[in-house]
Amino acid sequence: MASSIISHLLRSLVLLLAAALARSRSVETVQGEADRVTALPGQPPVKFRHYAGYVGVGSGKEKALFYWFFEAERRPDEKPLVLWLNGERKRRAGPGCSSVAYGEAQELGPFLVRSNGPNLTLNPFAWNKVANILFLEAPVGVGFSYTNRTSDLRELGDRITAKDSYSFLLSWFRRFPQFRSHDFYLAGESYAGHYVPQLAVEIYEGNRAERKKSFINLKGFMIGNAVINDATDQMGMVEYAWSHAIISDELHSAIRKHCGTFQEDGDRAAGPGCSPVLRAFLRAYSDIDIYSIYTPVCGYDPCTEDYVEKYFNREDVQIALHANVTRLSYQYSSCSEVIEKWNDSPATVLPILHKLMNAGLRIWVYSGDTDGRVPVTSTRYSIKEMRLKAKGGWRAWYYEEQVAGWFVEYEEGLTLATVRGAGHQVPVFAPDRSLALLSHFLHGRTLPTGRFSRS
Ligand SMILES: *[C@@H]1O[C@H](CO)[C@@H](O)[C@H](O)[C@H]1NC(C)=O
Ligand SMILES: *[C@@H]1O[C@H](CO)[C@@H](O)[C@H](O)[C@H]1NC(C)=O
Ligand SMILES: *[C@@H]1O[C@H](CO)[C@@H](O)[C@H](O)[C@H]1NC(C)=O
């Protein structure tokens, strides 16, 4: 008797709980649904759904980060979720470029902004062919992401970017709970060589501390032409410029003499003679594109950045994307014009890479080998610093019967791959091969090593 009362009570309790859960889940799904983008100007007809909007972060939620999320073209419920981050601003050194303006609209998103014409271009090699893709504009001050407290713009740096991006993800998964259990990956290029591993650490530590409730199913990350270790990054730039005949023997020797190995202190390296020779070094690049040394200046489709800025400044586009709802006082630009200060940026993230490899994450580092800004020499010197054990050696990988690049796998769980003939923003120059790279990364498959291999 007593036991049947208890079991009855238990059953009611379970039902109540289930109802409450269902209610909260449906509320959240509806919230995600409110972000659905349905009438984007110039959008070609597509079968997949996409969503855009703001997520509040920060102590009093006074900051709002903007995201644009694309479900995979087919069977999104079975595909992993990838968060893409851009980093460096193009014209000035330092972080602040938008993942929407670059990643989505120029590199790997489904809708490319390719002209001043009315229509967006459907990207045949969009990364949502193989995954659900989330673009995040971070930190505040980048793209549509904003803060209502101007002092926040003076307090930015790597640390706050990682914290806010993590808090964004926790809220985003509450808004889209159906993706919480999916395999989750981070990817990004350039200064995202800082953002991605730093965010991965936040997630890793958050998972350990909080357990179930806010668990994020992070499996690994991929970074391209990535800033990861200042001293070797700078060394590599110099060696690259010399080996590609951009600087003279004399300047090369002068830099080696005055700047040493750049070990001392980042860009204020070594002796007093270092700064002037570095200025001469940068002048050598003034008439070519350091991000893609063999293309005419602004030549890979003349200045797509201008089309992109024009497009995202359209009021009808902003309305469709649920962006700029507070009518910001400044224009949309692909790289932030409002970030005033960058307060912290460690000289290296290699210890973080070690830590995350030990935690079992899959890490791929790739490099477009015609970039002079974070060149392949930098990446190779940096990875060499990690003293990993190579397995299988340095080999070519193939795409459509041609050498697509070279790669090496390390026992510790890291893969280094180059993309032959691609500049800084690899998906711009090699859209098909970068999609193949992503696909192999997501499946944890070795890149194809035979000219006629099929995978
Ligand atoms: C910023 O201020 C505007 C105007 O008061 C308000 O509508 C908006 O919700 C605020 N945003 C955040 C993230 O607090
Ligand atoms: C833009 O797309 C619409 C709808 O697909 C089409 O009717 C129109 O001709 C396109 N305009 C241009 C300039 O390509
Ligand atoms: C936001 O909207 C205002 C008012 O329409 C506009 O002047 C401003 O350029 C927009 N800013 C951004 C970042 O989109």
Side-chain angles (χ1 to χ4, degrees):
M1 187 62 195
S3 77
S4 94
I5 289 175
I6 288 173
S7 78
H8 178 76
L9 274 175
L10 270 176
R11 212 170 30 245
S12 323
L13 202 62
V14 166
L15 285 175
L16 271 172
L17 271 174
L21 267 176
R23 210 163 35 242
S24 72
R25 185 168 304 146
S26 73
V27 166
E28 283 162 351
T29 312
V30 166
Q31 201 194 352
E33 209 44 45
D35 286 356
R36 179 94 178 262
V37 179
T38 51
L40 183 66
Q43 186 204 299
V46 291
K47 294 244 168 58
F48 57 83
R49 288 174 293 202
H50 58 115
Y51 304 81
Y54 285 105
V55 170
V57 300
S59 48
K61 299 264 184 270
E62 70 289 342
K63 303 178 186 177
L65 293 183
F66 182 77
Y67 79 90
W68 196 357
F69 170 57
F70 296 86
E71 288 192 347
E73 211 174 86
R74 271 186 293 275
R75 293 203 299 267
D77 51 318
E78 294 171 6
K79 299 241 160 68
L81 172 65
V82 175
L83 172 72
W84 171 267
L85 296 171
N86 281 91
E88 177 165 298
R89 56 173 62 191
K90 265 208 110 167
R91 297 188 186 100
R92 272 162 284 171
C97 290
S98 154
S99 312
V100 165
Y102 284 94
E104 197 300 309
Q106 299 182 62
E107 301 185 55
L108 53 111
F111 304 139
L112 303 176
V113 183
R114 277 279 171 79
S115 68
N116 280 332
N119 290 347
L120 297 168
T121 302
L122 199 58
N123 178 2
F125 302 103
W127 285 16
N128 77 330
K129 300 267 178 202
V130 297
N132 300 286
I133 307 283
L134 176 56
F135 296 94
L136 169 66
E137 293 190 317
V140 292
V142 174
F144 292 120
S145 295
Y146 70 92
T147 172
N148 276 343
R149 248 189 353 212
T150 45
S151 64
D152 287 338
L153 296 174
R154 290 190 296 274
E155 283 155 22
L156 296 174
D158 282 16
R159 214 169 299 124
I160 201 81
T161 303
K163 290 234 172 324
D164 285 352
S165 302
Y166 178 56
S167 123
F168 162 86
L169 280 176
L170 294 177
S171 300
W172 189 89
F173 278 114
R174 280 195 287 276
R175 200 175 290 183
F176 294 90
Q178 65 273 35
F179 288 99
R180 180 179 285 286
S181 61
H182 288 221
D183 285 355
F184 181 59
Y185 297 90
L186 308 175
E189 81 196 7
S190 197
Y191 199 75
H194 277 216
Y195 293 157
V196 164
Q198 289 163 342
L199 176 56
V201 165
E202 288 289 321
I203 296 171
Y204 171 69
E205 274 161 9
N207 280 350
R208 294 213 306 182
E210 302 264 343
R211 305 255 170 231
K212 284 246 156 60
K213 198 164 61 51
S214 57
F215 184 84
I216 294 176
N217 197 12
L218 179 67
K219 298 290 189 194
F221 59 82
M222 188 164 92
I223 47 180
N225 294 79
V227 177
I228 49 179
N229 187 58
D230 289 353
T232 46
D233 285 347
Q234 299 193 40
M235 255 311 253
M237 269 180 89
V238 173
E239 294 310 308
Y240 190 86
W242 180 77
S243 60
H244 289 73
I246 292 163
I247 59 170
S248 67
D249 292 349
E250 291 75 17
L251 183 54
H252 181 232
S253 310
I255 297 172
R256 295 301 296 264
K257 177 169 166 222
H258 293 290
C259 304
T261 53
F262 293 96
Q263 222 50 266
E264 279 75 354
D265 189 23
D267 42 15
R268 274 167 297 138
C274 182
S275 295
V277 291
L278 279 189
R279 275 198 296 278
F281 172 81
L282 288 177
R283 270 199 305 278
Y285 274 107
S286 58
D287 282 340
I288 64 169
D289 186 350
I290 192 171
Y291 296 91
S292 171
I293 63 168
Y294 297 124
T295 47
V297 180
C298 230
Y300 37 96
D301 199 328
C303 299
T304 43
E305 262 165 84
D306 301 340
Y307 305 140
V308 166
E309 290 190 347
K310 211 163 187 178
Y311 183 75
F312 289 112
N313 270 303
R314 282 170 57 173
E315 200 183 354
D316 56 351
V317 169
Q318 298 186 353
I319 289 168
L321 290 175
H322 317 117
N324 193 13
V325 287
T326 57
R327 305 187 146 263
L328 295 166
S329 60
Y330 51 87
Q331 287 217 322
Y332 184 90
S333 72
S334 28
C335 294
S336 177
E337 306 283 339
V338 295
I339 293 178
E340 295 172 25
K341 211 169 152 219
W342 202 259
N343 293 286
D344 60 293
S345 171
T348 179
V349 297
L350 298 185
I352 305 186
L353 295 189
H354 274 297
K355 174 175 176 161
L356 295 169
M357 263 179 347
N358 290 338
L361 292 190
R362 183 185 309 149
I363 302 179
W364 282 31
V365 179
Y366 67 91
S367 173
D369 67 8
T370 56
D371 175 24
R373 180 61 189 86
V374 190
V376 66
T377 38
S378 299
T379 303
R380 293 182 81 179
Y381 283 141
S382 299
I383 298 298
K384 200 168 170 190
E385 293 273 292
M386 296 180 76
R387 299 174 201 287
L388 306 174
K389 285 198 275 302
K391 54 171 191 193
W394 185 257
R395 289 173 285 171
W397 67 281
Y398 290 80
Y399 181 82
E400 294 191 338
E401 299 172 23
Q402 296 295 327
V403 172
W406 288 266
F407 76 105
V408 56
E409 294 171 319
Y410 295 98
E411 277 174 19
E412 291 83 350
L414 188 142
T415 294
L416 165 61
T418 72
V419 181
R420 183 161 75 104
H424 190 70
Q425 298 150 288
V426 171
V428 170
F429 304 94
D432 45 0
R433 286 177 287 150
S434 83
L435 180 60
L437 191 72
L438 174 73
S439 175
H440 283 81
F441 163 71
L442 292 176
H443 290 103
R445 273 206 310 260
T446 296
L447 289 163
T449 52
R451 183 157 185 177
F452 300 104
S453 53
R454 296 195 55 86
S455 62

